[in-house]
Amino acid sequence: MTRESFCDDRSFEGELAYDAVMNPVYRVAEDAIHLSDRVQDACPSVAWKNIRGFRNFVAHGYAEIDRAIAWKVVIEDIPSLAASPSDLISTDND
């Protein structure tokens, strides 16, 4: 999937693809907001407030999500978030 198809394809197939990508993103954000304070404090580089805000925006459908922002979350923020537990584990083992 390209940025252009993610952001601009409003066909039935494009909407299915968008939903297929955004559903797990929502799930990750939902799970992240339920992490303990200890875990969140151990990963200060993670923008927990932004994750909660993005999750609330998606969950409550305040308005159409800016797909360019959603693309950035998918391409940049989720991979960065995925690295955080690994950093936490390696810190605990040192």
Side-chain angles (χ1 to χ4, degrees):
M1 175 173 280
T2 66
R3 181 187 186 285
E4 290 73 27
S5 66
F6 184 83
C7 293
D8 300 330
D9 186 355
R10 301 301 175 115
S11 69
F12 179 75
E13 292 80 10
E15 293 296 320
L16 282 177
Y18 176 81
D19 288 345
V21 170
M22 290 306 294
N23 190 10
V25 169
Y26 168 78
R27 188 72 237 165
V28 166
E30 180 71 24
D31 291 345
I33 66 170
H34 294 289
L35 293 173
S36 69
D37 290 341
R38 180 182 165 270
V39 171
Q40 291 184 32
D41 291 345
C43 300
S45 64
V46 175
W48 299 111
K49 184 176 178 181
N50 291 352
I51 291 170
R52 278 190 295 280
F54 185 78
R55 179 258 172 219
N56 290 341
F57 197 82
V58 172
H60 300 293
Y62 295 130
E64 171 79 17
I65 296 169
D66 183 326
R67 290 184 178 208
I69 293 172
W71 179 256
K72 180 193 172 298
V73 168
V74 169
I75 297 301
E76 297 175 17
D77 297 339
I78 294 293
S80 165
L81 182 60
S84 293
S86 298
D87 294 345
L88 179 61
I89 291 167
S90 65
T91 301
D92 280 352
N93 291 331
D94 291 343

